[in-house]
């Protein structure tokens, strides 16, 4: 197929994707001509004099990996170190920072006001700031990353891609809680949902793989990683989702409890814990870790369970049971179901967890193909059920960074260098 003028303009486009946590910056630099990754890395322990940069390149000067200990008192200093690595004479993949055409920022919470990915300006920064109350752990470092990148990469367009955006189509029936109305109107208490970029990514890919138009596909997408969430997708749009006003609700996660009776919180405060202690316990000491008293990592729990550890077995069973229960609920509310999709570290790799979930789905028409299930690991895409069965189950690796890069490239538009 011949290239169009737009393809040639697009060939030159380099998009830098940034995902900032409170003490970390994860990044990838894409060449949008073929969507390849020129460089990627992780800077950890920002705020210390012993920050670690793990940076790998795959550019025209060859492949390379560096691990560097540096002082990074804040995100701005951290960003400077990363940009230096990208333009380094020996390991760099860019001649100059000016070669970056657009910067895509992952932003966790857009609140009720935003829907789509948008170019960052003063108004959008104010919006992200307004929603700090709803995501106190995430929006401040996202803003720090935006400010650090905008201060250095002046010439390029900066774009915010919101984790909540794909879930903004939930109807009130799904996003409202049965609490006093004023909690919603005055305090914005409602379901927002998270991991939206991942659910959007696998929804689009599933539509392609199933040969359906993106606005006709009906799915249940299960993002099972250290954080876990599930989305019911009707006609390509999210109609329900398991995470809530915060990422604590829903499935059992690495260290988060997922659904519990809210009265448990009051009970634990009544027996002497402070609200902060309960908060920490539910977010950091619950989930797989809390149940197993061993680990938040599914791999550890599966081997311990196989070796006879009863707590590890229970943790895996509760995890699987909750996933199956949510699939049952979403099956009921969807008009029809084309496929269940597994993604995330556990969803993409854990043959036993998928097998156990699919065991529950047999009555919905999922017939597992054990060979396919054991082969769908390490980034493979494919069905794990038998051809022709009523409910196909797929493994589709997620790629949130690529989604952010595509959104950013679309907003930047054609470039001409
Ligand atoms: P994520 O947050 O998507 O990076 O997923 C991280 C989680 O994936 C880890 O905590 C592990 O529990 C899980 N994981 C990764 N690889 C495997 C595997 N081969 N088998 C089971 N779980 C895995």
């Amino acid at each position: 197929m011949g290239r169009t003028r737009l393809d040639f303009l697009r060939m030159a486009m380099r998009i830098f994707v940034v995902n900032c946590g409170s003490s970390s910056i994860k990044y990838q630099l894409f060449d949008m001509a073929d969507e390849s990754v020129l460089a990627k890395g992780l800077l950890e322990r920002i705020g210390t004099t012993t920050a670690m940069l793990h940076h790998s390149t795959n550019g025209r000067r060859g492949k390379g990996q560096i691990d560097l200990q540096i002082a990074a008192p804040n995100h701005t200093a951290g960003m400077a170190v990363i940009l230096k690595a990208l333009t380094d004479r020996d390991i760099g993949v860019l001649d100059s920072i000016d070669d970056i055409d657009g910067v895509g920022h992952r932003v966790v919470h857009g609140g009720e006001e935003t829907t789509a990915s948008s170019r960052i300006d003063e108004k959008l920064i104010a919006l992200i700031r307004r929603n700090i109350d709803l995501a106190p752990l995430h929006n401040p470092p996202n803003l720090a990353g935006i400010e650090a990148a905008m201060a250095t990469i002046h010439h390029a367009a900066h774009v915010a891609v919101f984790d909540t955006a794909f879930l903004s189509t939930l109807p009130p029936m799904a996003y409202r809680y049965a609490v006093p109305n004023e909690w919603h109107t005055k305090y914005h208490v409602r379901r927002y949902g998270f991991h939206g970029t991942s659910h959007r990514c696998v929804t689009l890919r599933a539509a392609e793989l199933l040969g359906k138009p993106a606005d006709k596909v009906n799915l249940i997408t299960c993002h099972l990683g250290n954080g876990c969430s599930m989305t019911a997708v009707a006609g390509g749009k999210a109609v329900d989702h398991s995470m809530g006003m915060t990422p604590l609700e829903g499935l059992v996660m690495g260290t988060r409890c997922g659904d519990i009776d809210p009265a448990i919180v009051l009970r634990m405060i009544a027996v002497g814990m402070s609200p902060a202690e309960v908060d920490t316990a539910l977010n950091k000491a619950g989930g797989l870790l809390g149940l197993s008293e061993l680990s938040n990592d599914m791999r550890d729990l599966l081997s311990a369970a196989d070796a006879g550890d009863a707590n590890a077995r229970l943790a895996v069973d509760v995890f699987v049971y909750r996933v199956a229960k949510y699939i049952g609920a979403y099956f009921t509310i969807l008009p029809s179901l084309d496929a269940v999709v597994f993604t995330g570290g556990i969803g993409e790799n854990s043959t036993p967890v998928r097998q156990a979930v699919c065991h529950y789905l047999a009555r919905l028409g999922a017939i597992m193909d054990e060979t396919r299930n054991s082969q769908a690991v390490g980034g493979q895409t494919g069905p794990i059920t038998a051809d022709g069965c009523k409910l196909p189950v797929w493994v589709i690796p997620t790629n949130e960074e690529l989604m952010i890069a595509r959104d950013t490239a679309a907003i930047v538009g054609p470039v001409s260098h």
Side-chain angles (χ1 to χ4, degrees), residues 223-227 288 296-299 302 344-346 349-351:
H223 178 112
L224 308 180
N226 197 32
L288 294 173
N296 64 326
D297 191 306
M298 185 56 85
R299 287 163 291 199
L302 289 166
I346 298 172
N349 294 295
S350 186
T351 301

Side-chain angles (χ1 to χ4, degrees), residues 199 218-224 228-233 239-242 250-252 259 318-343 347 353-366 368 384-385 390-395:
H199 290 284
N218 298 320
L219 302 166
I220 297 173
T221 54
C222 313
H223 178 112
L224 308 180
C228 299
S229 64
M230 201 182 290
T231 304
V233 176
V239 293
D240 206 347
H241 177 80
S242 63
L251 305 176
V252 174
D259 293 340
V318 175
F319 180 93
V320 166
Y321 180 77
R322 184 81 52 87
V323 172
K325 215 157 86 163
Y326 262 88
I327 293 176
Y330 288 172
F331 181 84
T332 313
I333 56 116
L334 283 171
S336 69
L337 182 58
D338 297 313
V340 170
V341 176
F342 283 116
T343 195
V353 168
R354 293 187 308 234
Q355 170 142 22
V357 172
C358 286
H359 187 72
Y360 282 104
L361 307 186
R363 262 184 301 140
L364 302 184
M368 166 134 291
I384 55 169
T385 39
K390 210 165 120 203
L391 177 58
V393 179
W394 280 70
V395 172

Side-chain angles (χ1 to χ4, degrees), residues 65-397:
Q65 162 84 37
I66 53 163
D67 298 292
L68 200 66
Q69 188 173 324
I70 43 133
N74 52 40
H75 285 77
T76 304
M79 190 62 72
V81 173
I82 293 166
L83 293 174
K84 197 155 169 279
L86 289 174
T87 51
D88 184 89
R89 213 158 50 110
D90 298 323
I91 57 147
V93 289
L94 297 174
D95 292 329
S96 142
I97 290 174
D98 293 344
D99 293 341
I100 296 174
D101 300 295
V103 186
H105 296 266
R106 176 185 182 219
V107 181
V108 166
H109 220 310
E112 290 188 284
E113 302 160 83
T114 198
T115 53
S117 302
S118 319
R119 191 182 281 256
I120 300 174
D121 55 14
E122 287 302 316
K123 266 169 71 179
L124 202 73
I125 289 179
L127 181 150
I128 299 168
R129 197 163 279 134
R130 266 201 304 284
N131 285 297
I132 283 179
D133 271 358
L134 291 170
L137 301 180
H138 294 100
N139 278 20
N142 295 161
L143 272 173
I146 289 170
E147 277 157 9
M150 286 181 98
T152 335
I153 313 170
H154 316 277
H155 62 280
H158 290 251
V159 170
V161 177
F162 292 93
D163 233 27
T164 44
F166 183 63
L167 307 160
S168 65
T169 51
L170 261 53
M173 207 159 48
Y175 75 65
R176 287 295 300 276
Y177 294 113
V179 292
N181 202 28
E182 198 190 43
W183 291 20
H184 175 235
T185 51
K186 203 164 167 192
Y187 302 108
H188 311 288
V189 170
R190 53 160 282 181
R191 180 186 312 286
Y192 293 97
F194 301 89
H195 291 155
T197 309
S198 173
H199 290 284
R200 176 159 64 107
C201 174
V202 297
T203 294
L204 292 172
R205 188 80 184 109
E208 262 172 42
L209 292 162
L210 296 166
K212 294 201 90 174
D215 62 351
K216 295 277 182 304
V217 74
N218 298 320
L219 302 166
I220 297 173
T221 54
C222 313
H223 178 112
L224 308 180
N226 197 32
C228 299
S229 64
M230 201 182 290
T231 304
V233 176
K237 288 197 164 66
V239 293
D240 206 347
H241 177 80
S242 63
M243 282 178 165
M245 187 177 96
T246 76
L248 190 55
E249 192 182 347
L251 305 176
V252 174
M253 312 183 207
T255 61
R256 292 184 211 136
C257 59
D259 293 340
I260 58 167
D261 178 347
I264 294 170
V265 174
L266 305 176
R267 168 78 187 139
M268 296 319 290
I269 291 172
V271 300
M273 285 178 87
S274 71
E277 284 168 342
V278 177
D279 184 49
T280 305
L282 297 179
N283 276 290
K284 303 225 163 90
L288 294 173
L289 176 64
L291 279 165
S292 69
E293 295 185 311
L294 179 71
S295 170
N296 64 326
D297 191 306
M298 185 56 85
R299 287 163 291 199
D300 297 340
L301 299 183
L302 289 166
S303 13
D306 283 347
D309 184 318
N311 286 346
R313 170 57 57 207
L314 181 69
V316 175
D317 288 349
V318 175
F319 180 93
V320 166
Y321 180 77
R322 184 81 52 87
V323 172
K325 215 157 86 163
Y326 262 88
I327 293 176
Y330 288 172
F331 181 84
T332 313
I333 56 116
L334 283 171
S336 69
L337 182 58
D338 297 313
V340 170
V341 176
F342 283 116
T343 195
I346 298 172
E348 291 170 29
N349 294 295
S350 186
T351 301
V353 168
R354 293 187 308 234
Q355 170 142 22
V357 172
C358 286
H359 187 72
Y360 282 104
L361 307 186
R363 262 184 301 140
L364 302 184
I367 303 169
M368 166 134 291
D369 180 317
E370 287 190 17
T371 310
R372 284 178 169 175
N373 189 33
S374 60
Q375 285 171 352
V377 291
Q380 296 295 315
T381 299
I384 55 169
T385 39
D387 287 337
C389 78
K390 210 165 120 203
L391 177 58
V393 179
W394 280 70
V395 172
I396 302 181

Side-chain angles (χ1 to χ4, degrees), residues 30-77:
F30 286 88
D31 179 346
M32 295 312 287
D34 58 359
E35 298 187 332
S36 61
V37 177
L38 296 172
K40 64 177 180 178
L42 170 67
L43 178 64
E44 301 177 287
R45 300 211 295 263
I46 294 174
T48 71
T49 49
T50 55
M52 277 301 296
L53 176 68
H54 309 282
H55 177 84
S56 61
T57 61
N58 188 18
R60 59 191 141 85
R61 292 176 210 147
K63 284 185 193 225
Q65 162 84 37
I66 53 163
D67 298 292
L68 200 66
Q69 188 173 324
I70 43 133
N74 52 40
H75 285 77
T76 304

